[in-house]
Amino acid sequence: QLFESSSCTYTYILADGASGDAVVIDPVLETVPRDLQLLRELRLNLKYAVNTHCHADHVTGSGSLVRALGGRSVISRASGARADVLLSDGDEIKFGDF
């Protein structure tokens, strides 16, 4: 769990130790350098940058993370936002053994 104080946003990194696959949840644009450094230090491969919701008042860091490391951006189809993967109720994303 990581925190960005200006927007009071928590970002989470989940990873599968065996494969090195990682998911970053709710990345913040201003903290992309921190998140990139952490992912690289831990030798993790970004599989998904997931947004649990969409805010009109700030831009997420998903696009920047995906451009820097690969992977795919994810958000709910109901949000009306754009992403590589649009989820509907009951959908799952898989990474490593999870």
Side-chain angles (χ1 to χ4, degrees):
Q1 176 179 304
L2 305 163
F3 185 67
E4 195 285 310
S5 60
S6 295
S7 64
C8 292
T9 301
Y10 286 97
T11 295
Y12 302 89
I13 297 178
L14 307 177
D16 175 61
S19 69
D21 284 350
V23 175
V24 178
I25 301 170
D26 291 333
V28 177
L29 183 61
E30 291 78 10
T31 56
V32 165
R34 173 203 66 192
D35 300 345
L36 287 172
Q37 180 179 348
L38 184 56
L39 290 164
R40 288 176 176 143
E41 284 177 8
L42 296 173
R43 296 183 181 163
L44 297 174
N45 305 309
L46 181 66
K47 182 120 179 177
Y48 298 107
V50 179
N51 289 291
T52 61
H53 58 286
C54 183
H55 280 283
D57 62 340
H58 75 272
V59 177
T60 71
S62 299
S64 295
L65 286 174
V66 168
R67 280 189 296 280
L69 300 175
R72 301 175 79 194
S73 61
V74 180
I75 198 164
S76 167
R77 181 178 307 281
S79 72
R82 288 182 288 163
D84 298 318
V85 179
L86 299 174
L87 298 175
S88 296
D89 190 36
D91 288 348
E92 296 180 356
I93 57 172
K94 297 184 186 283
F95 65 102
D97 287 332
F98 295 94

